[in-house]
Amino acid sequence: DPARPGALAVSPAIGAFTAGAAIGLILAMVLLWLKVLPRSFADGEPMLDFEREQMEQELRERNASPEEFAQLPPVATKGQIRREILLESLFVAIPVVLAIAAVWTVSATGVGEAWSGLLHEQRWLSGLLGSIFGAMVAAGLIWITRIVATLALGRVAMGQGDTHLMVAIGAVLGAGPSVLVFFAAPFCGLVIGVYKWFAKGARELPYGPYLSLAAAATILLYRYVEAYFRPHVEVIGELLRLSSGN
């Protein structure tokens, strides 16, 4: 049932956006494989502070050799980190551009009617695109946060492991629930984060465990959250349609 809370079925516009983005992602990966696009952090991504401290502590506890310490990921300057993260921006830009082009093609040409009919008849395709859209939205939230925060701070703000985890969450739960997971995760880690800040002076936490906790809570509670916000979203959508019609 496409109207059921958490359903993965997509509208023609969202389906076109997803299909274009998926093609763009494949193209970007091929260009990366062919080395047309340079790979970011080719020599290894700098560790987050808490990761490096943990690794150095483990090495000290087992009396590691200087060679093992030297194998830790390199320390990079803020300028170097910002340049590397801009390479990721180029990678992300390719699927975004093709997604926008796909939406324009469906809405501004005669392809739109045939595309709508295809999604209506082939529900599996609509569900598949909905799953892919959820994965892209979930990963995009983490990746955009990673890029923007890294550019602002001059240090790697989030690891790519969080992006991979959100791909799985978004593919299973869909776009709406994955957005809720992203914004609920900080609250899941707030208590532990405040404790570590005051007790140990730690300023960074692994985000993955709290994404997982937020995903579990979303699975149990999303239908109630969606039922509360749906009327408000529908009113906003109707106002946008009326304004665009005028």
Side-chain angles (χ1 to χ4, degrees), residues 162 165-166 169 173 181 185 188 206-219:
D162 298 327
L165 177 59
M166 282 296 281
I169 292 173
L173 301 185
V181 169
C188 294
Y207 201 43
Y210 306 111
L211 287 172
S212 300
L213 285 173
T218 299
I219 291 172

Side-chain angles (χ1 to χ4, degrees), residues 7-244:
L8 297 181
V10 294
S11 65
I14 295 298
F17 181 94
T18 305
I23 294 171
L25 182 61
I26 293 172
L27 175 60
M29 293 176 67
V30 170
L31 293 176
L32 193 67
W33 178 69
L34 294 175
K35 298 183 179 180
V36 176
L37 280 179
R39 185 180 297 274
S40 63
F41 301 107
D43 296 328
E45 185 173 309
M47 282 183 169
L48 297 175
D49 286 351
F50 80 92
E51 294 175 327
R52 191 173 189 91
E53 289 173 4
Q54 290 177 353
M55 185 63 71
E56 290 178 347
Q57 180 64 27
E58 291 176 4
L59 292 175
R60 283 193 293 268
E61 288 176 355
R62 60 185 181 85
N63 297 319
S65 65
E67 289 77 14
E68 291 180 278
F69 278 92
Q71 291 175 0
L72 291 174
V75 177
T77 66
K78 291 185 176 182
Q80 290 171 331
I81 291 174
R82 288 189 174 109
R83 284 193 295 272
E84 292 296 322
I85 207 67
L86 284 175
L87 298 178
E88 292 187 16
S89 302
L90 292 176
F91 181 92
V92 173
I94 295 175
V96 170
V97 170
L98 287 187
I100 295 172
V103 173
W104 179 87
T105 301
V106 168
S107 60
T109 67
V111 177
E113 185 174 349
W115 176 250
S116 300
L118 178 63
L119 291 182
H120 179 73
E121 294 174 3
Q122 305 295 332
R123 292 299 178 89
W124 67 268
L125 178 59
S126 180
L128 175 62
L129 291 174
S131 180
I132 296 173
F133 181 65
M136 289 181 173
V137 169
L141 287 170
I142 293 290
W143 213 337
I144 291 172
T145 301
R146 166 185 164 90
I147 291 173
V148 172
T150 300
L151 288 173
L153 300 175
R155 58 193 297 181
V156 177
M158 303 182 76
Q160 284 289 40
D162 298 327
T163 306
H164 300 155
L165 177 59
M166 282 296 281
V167 167
I169 292 173
V172 174
L173 301 185
S178 66
V179 173
L180 180 59
V181 169
F182 176 78
F183 287 106
F187 294 97
C188 294
L190 182 61
V191 175
I192 295 177
V194 171
Y195 164 74
K196 287 193 172 183
W197 186 11
F198 283 103
K200 302 180 180 180
R203 297 185 179 182
E204 294 176 339
L205 286 173
Y207 201 43
Y210 306 111
L211 287 172
S212 300
L213 285 173
T218 299
I219 291 172
L220 298 174
L221 303 174
Y222 181 73
R223 62 180 299 177
Y224 305 107
V225 176
E226 197 271 349
Y228 177 79
F229 282 105
R230 177 184 282 272
H232 306 288
V233 174
E234 289 178 347
V235 169
I236 294 173
E238 185 63 27
L239 291 174
L240 291 174
R241 282 192 292 271
L242 291 174
S243 63
S244 63

